[in-house]
Amino acid sequence: MSTAIGIRSFGAYIPARRMQRSEIAKAHAWALPGLRGLGKGEKAFCSWDEDVITMAVEASRDCMRGQDVNALARLCLASTSAPFADVQNATLVASALGAPRNVATSDQTASTRAGLSALSHACESGASQLLVAGEKRRTKLGSAQEMLFGDGAAALLLGSGDDLLATYLGSESLSVPFVDHFRESNSDYEYAWEERWIRDEGVGKLVPEAVNALLQRLGKTAADVAHFGLAGGGPRADGFAAKKIGIADAAVLPDLRNNVGDTGAAHSLLLLTEALERAQPGDLIIIAAFAQGCEVIAFEMAAKGSDTGRRGLAGNLARRHEETAYMKMLSFSGEIEVEWGMRSETDQKTALTQQYRVADQTFEFVGGKCRDCDTIQFPRLPNCVNCGAFDTQSPAPLADEKAKVLTVTADWLMFSQSPPLYMGLSQFDNGARMLMEIVDVGPEGIDVGTPLEMTFRIKELDKMRGYRRYFWKARPIVSAAGE
């Protein structure tokens, strides 16, 4: 009897910042009044210090709550907009998670169906691994993509056994040269083809062909599908395809376009996390990704699972800060260059030798605990800052430790790409104390005693050499009522 393969855990990350599409349309009304037709809902967008790697880390941390990171054998990152072309992005994610050094890492890219393709390959091979997909795509100002795209990430922990959340049933791939959109390797922006052609000739024919082939092989019918999600194909493509297949309207998952946006390679996995949060044991889940053909995968919900404290998709959707400054979104995405003055004129070169030597401190956020007096400090130094003892430091992980604001300053003079710069002493529950940057502060501000959690972010951007240095920052914890 073969061992069942499927999903052990899942997680998600959606940036807290949301922009009403009506604000974007308003900014372009002088030249492109037709954008008003796409002006419903809102999109999630990254802060200047977030990218595919930071979102992948946060989604993976959400997924790995209650799981043993040291048991990870493989980690795959799927994205078409990861920051590095010649550094393995998945390795940086694994380092931030504190995964073992011998974990096998890989990047999957070149298609918005990369996330679902990687999931299909992993399930077919039976590999136990962490699969994460994230997307932060650039868009031309005034384009339909600017209105429709959003940023986000999703993570799945795959394995085998009898304690799965969802069991893998099968998958189907259809690969054809139907190019609905494309982006050349040296280009920042994609080019999209005509919507009606994509809907009628692409979504309307290729998606039903792939889904029906999988259902037939599984001995299932469209009536058996309890949850259906389609990534790619444009607005309302999921309902259009479901009708062609014969899947009930009630089974079509909310496509996240109205409150997040199209998240590319991450979208299919976000739809799957949405299904996992909604499904009951025995439910059939079908997720498809349309891009140069179609990838389809099927799961059967096995159990709801225990409460691991994950934020999940629902918690991330509830955690939002509405932004109305369109120019701020453009500055964060790099579409405009703001003159920040002389305080910003510093060389942000990263010493790669030092980065490697202290990798566990910078990527994993591991401090030191004195074996003589139990004082926890960061950074880890040869001598204890309390008792002065030499060579008494044991590793003390801080990334998952809760903290609170001890002191805080909102600085409008020091350079920040998201002023004001919030800096303050973070008092950790385990006794550590350190000066940290505090991000994602809402319009309500922040005060002494505010609970904090740690988040992996970009520390500095070296625009001269095209490198970015990562580190940990603090952010306010959203109250339970807000989640």
Side-chain angles (χ1 to χ4, degrees), residues 110-166:
S111 172
T112 54
R113 77 186 226 203
L116 206 61
S117 295
L119 178 58
S120 297
H121 296 160
C123 290
E124 286 293 330
S125 67
S128 176
Q129 68 172 275
L130 178 65
L131 170 62
V132 57
E135 207 79 280
K136 179 189 175 183
R137 294 179 289 178
R138 294 186 64 179
T139 59
K140 284 186 177 180
L141 277 63
S143 65
Q145 288 87 353
E146 184 186 30
M147 301 291 285
L148 298 175
F149 286 2
D151 303 332
L156 299 169
L157 180 62
L158 309 174
S160 59
D162 300 323
D163 56 346
L164 302 173
L165 295 180

Side-chain angles (χ1 to χ4, degrees), residues 113 172-176 205-207 209-210 291-296:
R113 77 186 226 203
E172 184 75 22
S173 292
L174 182 65
S175 298
V176 297
K205 294 181 179 179
L206 301 178
V207 175
E209 180 182 345
Q292 296 82 63
C294 186
E295 193 86 28
V296 187

